[in-house]
């Protein structure tokens, strides 16, 4: 299987996108970034997604504050929770880091540098990418990882047999730790599975009612 395989590879949850495709759009990435949990995204797409969520959360927070103030003016003795942005995150599907369990922020994204395969033979075979260290062709059936210290993509075989032996990034000589090795995920999209609805009418009721 080559690096341009179709999206109909079966996984645990059905079709699995190609390894170089965005976890949000399933389209090939032109400017790929990855989370520490191993989910690949097109930079502009995921930044827009994060930005739009923050705007919506801010809007809900302002609306809640307005309504809360009105209720307190009517009855100052009512106990109401102090609103925070976290109260509203469950209204959406935030991108959650699978390692830390925290919401992914723009500054958490790591730039990814796929090594392209050149030459007419590669073009004819529709082979796009290779391991940055061994030169092995990357495909949907090849486990791989991003090296945080360089952004380069290598096979997990390279990680196990070479990189973990010395814990040095072979592409630039930087010392590495285990957390600098980020296995790429093939399924899912990095979203939180939480789907709780925060109902303002219930939140603004006095406690005990």
């Amino acid at each position: 299987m080559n690096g341009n395989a179709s999206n109909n590879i079966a996984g645990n949850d059905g079709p699995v996108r190609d390894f170089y495709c965005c976890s949000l759009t399933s389209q090939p990435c032109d400017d790929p970034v990855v989370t520490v949990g191993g989910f690949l995204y097109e930079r502009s797409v995921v930044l827009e997604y994060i930005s739009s969520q923050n705007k919506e959360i801010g809007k809900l927070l302002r609306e809640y504050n307005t309504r809360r103030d009105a209720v307190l003016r009517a009855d100052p003795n009512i106990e109401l929770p102090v609103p925070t942005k976290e109260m509203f995150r469950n209204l959406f599907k935030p991108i959650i880091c699978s390692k830390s369990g925290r919401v992914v922020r723009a500054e958490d994204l790591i730039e990814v540098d796929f090594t392209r395969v050149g030459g007419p033979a590669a073009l004819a075979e529709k082979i796009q990418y290779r391991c940055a260290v061994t030169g092995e062709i990357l495909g949907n059936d090849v486990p791989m990882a991003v090296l945080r210290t360089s952004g380069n993509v290598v096979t997990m075989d390279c990680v196990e047999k070479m990189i973990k032996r010395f814990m040095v990034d072979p592409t630039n000589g930087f010392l590495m730790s285990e957390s600098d090795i980020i296995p790429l995920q093939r399924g899912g999209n990095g979203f939180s599975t939480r789907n709780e609805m925060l109902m303002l009418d219930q939140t603004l009721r006095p406690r005990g009612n």
Side-chain angles (χ1 to χ4, degrees):
M1 187 179 301
N2 61 44
N4 196 38
S6 65
N7 283 328
N8 60 1
I9 300 171
N12 293 334
D13 299 318
V16 178
R17 63 186 171 274
D18 288 323
F19 69 88
Y20 50 80
C21 288
C22 174
S23 297
L24 281 170
T25 66
S26 295
Q27 298 301 309
C29 291
D30 292 322
D31 185 13
V33 292
V34 70
T35 66
V36 294
F39 290 96
L40 191 75
Y41 299 98
E42 174 67 31
R43 186 194 301 271
S44 61
V45 172
V46 71
L47 289 179
E48 175 60 27
Y49 187 87
I50 293 172
S51 175
S52 64
Q53 280 199 336
N54 288 336
K55 289 177 182 177
E56 287 299 317
I57 290 170
K59 179 181 177 181
L60 285 174
L61 186 57
R62 289 190 296 272
E63 291 176 354
Y64 179 90
N65 275 323
T66 299
R67 189 167 181 181
R68 179 176 182 272
D69 291 344
V71 171
L72 289 175
R73 282 195 299 271
D75 187 351
N77 295 319
I78 292 179
E79 294 185 18
L80 294 175
V82 177
T84 66
K85 288 186 177 181
E86 292 304 318
M87 290 175 58
F88 297 94
R89 290 202 182 277
N90 286 338
L91 286 171
F92 304 93
K93 283 188 173 181
I95 298 174
I96 300 295
C97 171
S98 59
K99 286 192 175 182
S100 68
R102 294 180 296 185
V103 175
V104 172
R105 301 169 300 175
E107 55 266 33
D108 298 326
L109 300 172
I110 301 160
E111 186 172 342
V112 177
D113 185 13
F114 283 106
T115 303
R116 286 191 173 275
V117 177
L123 183 62
E125 293 294 327
K126 297 183 179 180
I127 298 172
Q128 294 189 335
Y129 303 111
R130 61 178 175 82
C131 173
V133 176
T134 67
E136 179 182 347
I137 300 302
L138 301 180
N140 290 330
D141 57 348
V142 179
M144 62 194 80
V146 177
L147 306 182
R148 186 203 295 261
T149 45
S150 62
N152 285 312
V153 181
V154 298
T155 64
M156 286 304 298
D157 189 56
C158 173
V159 168
E160 296 297 333
K161 293 181 179 179
M162 298 176 60
I163 295 175
K164 285 190 175 181
R165 184 177 179 183
F166 302 106
M167 295 308 291
V168 172
D169 186 332
T171 67
N172 58 19
F174 288 179
L175 293 176
M176 303 180 67
S177 64
E178 286 283 347
S179 63
D180 291 323
I181 300 170
I182 305 171
L184 278 180
Q185 304 294 328
R186 292 299 324 288
N189 53 23
F191 287 149
S192 167
T193 58
R194 296 176 298 176
N195 193 28
E196 302 169 8
M197 293 300 293
L198 180 62
M199 304 301 293
L200 294 182
D201 285 339
Q202 294 179 358
T203 304
L204 291 173
R205 291 175 184 170
R207 293 179 182 176
N209 288 2

